[in-house]
Amino acid sequence: MKNLRFEKLELLSTVERKARTIKFHPRLTVIIGENDVGKSSVIKSLYWAFGAPVYMHSEWVKAKVKARVTFTIDGEMYAIVRDGQAFGIFDAAGELLLATRNVTSELGPFLAGKLDFGLVLPNKASGVPETPPPAYAFMPFYVDQDLGWKQALESFEIRGQYKNPRKAVIEFHSGIRPNRYYELQAQKTAIQSEITELGRDRQVLEKAVGKLNLQPAFTGTEFSELEHRESINRLLTELHDLRSARLKVAAELADLVDERELVTEQMRIARLAMGELGKDFTYTSTADAEIFCPTCGTLHENGFTHKFSILDDREACAQFIRDQHDRLGAIRKRAERAEVELRGTDVLIERVTGSLSEREGDLTLREVIENAGANMARGLFDDQLADIRSAVDTRAGEIVEIVLEVKALENRKRKKEIESFYAQQMAQFLRTLNVRKIDFDSASKITKKVNDTGSDQPRAVLAYYLAFMRTVFKFSSALTAPMVIDSPNQQDQDATNVAAMIALIFSTRPESGQTILGTVRLHDQKVEDGEIIELVDELSVLSPAFYDDVLSAMSPDLDRM
């Protein structure tokens, strides 16, 4: 697991001839100040420097502020500099490691390699798997002042570059699915693209054979009796292969029908189980603290853990049904492909059978020459088709190996352990933050969105972020990053609730983690093992006093980008 820490942020505006340097404590930095003193601009600049899409104030944009973030990865020092759309990454010695203007294709993969960020997502437009931009690496660790408190993991202004990436981001960062899983999925997608391309090449060749009338047939124009027999044997061999292929496809189609019936029955049983579990939960919700079991004759405790286990089992049934719906869709598509292949094979069988029934006619020299040329051309096409079939077989074998390795990575016991840990943390934090009316069944699921109303929503969102953060630090094999939280006092929280939010932020800090908090005031909470940075000048976080020093420090890097 790679651990990222922010060391220093330098901001420079040559337009206004102002600058600022912010140094971060390795454990806790609190940036305090009234509204409009630039707390959020400072915090957003951290992620802007890494190419993440954040909304910057129009005055900040007009000032054309440049940023340099000095950071460490497992103690190794780096710096990233951004000037407009230009980025530069430097090592501890100041050597330029990367200069680019492209976030997705160059900056993202470079940072992913340094951070061990292995998440791969298929691009919605091209379908090609790619490393998502840096915002996806920071997504669980940043609560933006504007967007972050409305819904968890939505602090960045992410465009529709990928289809439904939330689940993949959660499973990756939480450790449910490791780096290797996504590497294998990317390899599988790339190989499937190769197979599709080979399939197009095969179709082109087969169409050419058909248009040029190069299908193998006995016409009596062979040069010798030996060639005559070879032509017949070739037709018979092809007919045998076609019939064997048809039997195989027909058997596959029959298996798909059986599988569909089995899945349908399993879904029916799961729905019945869901109904019974729903009745059990309704009963336990209104029952006494202890329930007498008529079967075993003992009293059982009717506590939160027991009720949660019922909901967990019911959700497992619901998830099973959703998975089986997807499975039925996959079965249907496979059956449709099998039926198309079956019809195509029947057409070929009919064509070859017709060729075998043709009778030998009178020969002319022209027919002999034309047939000889057709046979030679057919031989060339056959060689190319054989090469394509061999390549497809090789790629298909690689996919089988990948599927087996992916299956080995699907550790259900570990997944349940991670989800259970998150659920316990979330339940605890919701109670601590006095969030009482939320749907606990939904909130306890790590992939679910947080839905509450009014002033409870920001507290519920904070509970999610902190529970997820604790889960990442405990189970993830990829990366951890600073937990950056901007302006927790949202939706007119009362003083007690704001104090509870800040106290929970402080108390949940991981031992190896770094926390950065922006807030108007601390509400009587004490900062221990950390530092406070106070901003006081309204609309002027940058200052002429810092300009010369920051300009001198950043200029050599800017000149090389």
Side-chain angles (χ1 to χ4, degrees):
M1 178 192 292
K2 299 291 186 179
N3 181 254
L4 169 72
R5 289 180 188 268
F6 295 136
E7 299 290 327
K8 181 170 63 174
L9 170 65
E10 294 164 286
L11 301 169
L12 174 69
S13 171
T14 54
V15 173
E16 295 184 347
R17 299 183 64 82
K18 294 179 180 180
R20 184 86 187 204
T21 299
I22 304 287
K23 294 183 179 180
F24 298 101
H25 189 274
R27 292 279 288 127
L28 173 64
T29 301
V30 180
I31 303 174
I32 65 172
E34 297 295 329
N35 295 328
D36 298 325
V37 297
K39 299 188 301 298
S40 295
S41 294
V42 168
I43 291 172
K44 288 175 187 287
S45 295
L46 283 169
Y47 298 105
W48 181 81
F50 282 87
V54 292
Y55 172 76
M56 305 299 295
H57 194 278
S58 58
E59 294 300 319
W60 193 267
V61 175
K62 288 179 184 178
K64 296 182 179 180
V65 179
K66 314 173 200 309
R68 178 167 69 175
V69 178
T70 305
F71 62 98
T72 61
I73 300 175
D74 288 350
E76 188 172 353
M77 191 77 70
Y78 298 93
I80 185 168
V81 180
R82 180 171 182 179
D83 179 8
Q85 298 304 312
F87 298 85
I89 298 183
F90 303 84
D91 64 13
E95 294 296 322
L96 179 65
L97 303 178
L98 175 72
T100 182
R101 289 178 173 270
N102 195 304
V103 174
T104 300
S105 64
E106 294 184 1
L107 179 64
F110 182 87
L111 289 172
K114 293 294 183 182
L115 291 169
D116 200 17
F117 178 58
L119 179 63
V120 177
L121 297 172
N123 188 288
K124 187 190 292 185
S126 65
V128 176
E130 64 186 23
T131 300
Y136 289 80
F138 295 121
M139 198 175 288
F141 306 103
Y142 174 46
V143 190
D144 175 66
Q145 178 192 29
D146 302 310
L147 301 175
W149 296 102
K150 296 176 183 178
Q151 187 54 253
L153 305 186
E154 295 186 5
S155 290
F156 296 112
E157 296 184 321
I158 300 294
R159 299 174 183 174
Q161 195 169 355
Y162 309 103
K163 184 177 179 180
N164 299 326
R166 179 185 175 88
K167 185 172 184 290
V169 168
I170 290 172
E171 290 180 338
F172 171 80
H173 280 286
S174 65
I176 291 175
R177 286 178 169 164
N179 268 341
R180 181 61 178 162
Y181 174 89
Y182 296 95
E183 293 172 2
L184 291 170
Q185 293 291 46
Q187 292 176 21
K188 180 182 174 183
T189 302
I191 294 172
Q192 286 172 332
S193 297
E194 289 184 42
I195 291 176
T196 300
E197 190 63 32
L198 289 169
R200 294 193 188 101
D201 293 343
R202 185 193 65 195
Q203 290 175 351
V204 170
L205 289 172
E206 290 175 344
K207 286 181 180 179
V209 169
K211 287 182 179 180
L212 296 173
N213 196 25
L214 300 178
Q215 296 293 345
F218 171 58
T219 63
T221 60
E222 288 75 15
F223 283 113
S224 67
E225 184 179 356
L226 175 62
E227 291 178 353
H228 183 148
R229 289 197 303 269
E230 287 178 348
S231 179
I232 294 294
N233 289 337
R234 181 168 144 187
L235 282 170
L236 291 171
T237 299
E238 183 164 351
L239 185 60
H240 176 270
D241 291 341
L242 286 170
R243 286 173 174 167
S244 298
R246 190 187 190 285
L247 287 173
K248 182 179 179 181
V249 174
E252 180 184 354
L253 193 56
D255 290 341
L256 288 171
V257 172
D258 292 341
E259 185 178 357
R260 182 185 63 193
E261 296 299 322
L262 176 62
V263 170
T264 303
E265 179 62 15
Q266 289 175 340
M267 291 174 66
R268 186 187 68 81
I269 295 171
R271 287 192 182 97
L272 291 174
M274 275 188 65
E276 293 301 321
L277 288 168
K279 294 176 183 177
D280 290 346
F281 180 75
T282 301
Y283 173 71
T284 57
S285 298
T286 57
D288 297 331
E290 292 183 332
I291 300 175
F292 176 78
C293 177
T295 303
C296 61
T298 58
L299 287 173
H300 295 279
E301 183 181 351
N302 183 28
F304 173 81
T305 302
H306 177 65
K307 295 176 185 176
F308 177 79
S309 67
I310 295 175
L311 290 175
D312 194 44
D313 291 342
R314 188 173 184 274
E315 176 60 20
C317 290
Q319 183 61 51
F320 175 83
I321 292 172
R322 290 191 290 269
D323 292 342
Q324 297 311 95
H325 271 298
D326 294 340
R327 186 177 172 187
L328 280 177
I331 291 172
R332 183 181 64 255
K333 291 179 181 178
R334 287 163 57 195
E336 290 171 352
R337 289 196 297 268
E339 289 173 351
V340 170
E341 187 174 352
L342 202 60
R343 289 194 294 270
T345 304
D346 286 340
V347 171
L348 291 175
I349 289 174
E350 184 179 355
R351 184 183 299 169
V352 174
T353 303
S355 297
L356 280 169
S357 65
E358 288 180 6
R359 291 181 299 175
E360 182 178 1
D362 293 334
L363 302 181
T364 65
L365 179 60
R366 180 179 179 180
E367 289 173 333
V368 170
I369 293 173
E370 287 178 350
N371 191 65
N375 284 341
M376 290 177 63
R378 175 59 195 239
L380 293 174
F381 280 117
D382 281 350
D383 289 342
Q384 294 181 52
L385 286 167
D387 290 342
I388 289 175
R389 283 193 293 269
S390 176
V392 170
D393 289 343
T394 300
R395 299 296 186 274
E398 293 172 358
I399 286 181
V400 170
E401 293 178 359
I402 289 173
V403 169
L404 290 174
E405 188 173 350
V406 166
K407 188 175 181 180
L409 292 173
E410 295 281 5
N411 190 328
R412 293 184 180 275
K413 181 179 178 182
R414 175 178 169 81
K415 179 182 178 181
K416 188 172 183 179
E417 181 185 3
I418 292 172
E419 291 176 337
S420 177
F421 177 84
Y422 161 80
Q424 292 171 5
Q425 297 291 307
M426 183 64 168
Q428 176 185 337
F429 295 162
L430 288 172
R431 289 194 297 270
T432 301
L433 295 177
N434 194 32
V435 180
R436 304 294 182 186
K437 298 179 181 179
I438 196 169
D439 180 358
F440 282 89
D441 183 21
S442 176
S444 63
K445 305 303 177 186
I446 195 169
T447 56
K448 295 285 187 180
K449 289 191 174 184
V450 178
N451 292 310
D452 211 323
T453 58
S455 62
D456 281 359
Q457 176 69 6
R459 301 201 305 280
V461 166
L462 179 62
Y464 181 94
Y465 272 110
L466 297 179
F468 193 82
M469 175 198 67
R470 295 287 289 268
T471 305
V472 170
F473 272 83
K474 184 174 178 64
F475 293 101
S476 177
S477 60
L479 75 145
T480 56
M483 193 70 213
V484 181
I485 301 173
D486 188 10
S487 305
N489 189 4
Q490 302 286 323
Q491 296 283 349
D492 295 324
Q493 303 290 328
D494 61 39
T496 301
N497 283 333
V498 179
M501 294 171 79
I502 294 175
L504 189 62
I505 292 169
F506 289 174
S507 65
T508 55
R509 291 179 294 160
E511 288 298 323
S512 59
Q514 181 186 36
T515 299
I516 298 171
L517 170 65
T519 182
V520 173
R521 54 185 60 85
L522 285 171
H523 294 270
D524 298 324
Q525 302 305 304
K526 303 298 182 183
V527 173
E528 297 179 356
D529 192 17
E531 292 181 358
I532 298 175
I533 298 174
E534 186 173 6
L535 304 180
V536 295
D537 296 328
E538 186 174 351
L539 300 177
S540 187
V541 67
L542 304 184
S543 169
F546 299 100
Y547 181 74
D548 290 339
D549 289 342
V550 175
L551 177 64
S552 176
M554 287 181 63
S555 289
D557 292 347
L558 293 169
D559 291 342
R560 287 183 290 165
M561 288 168 50

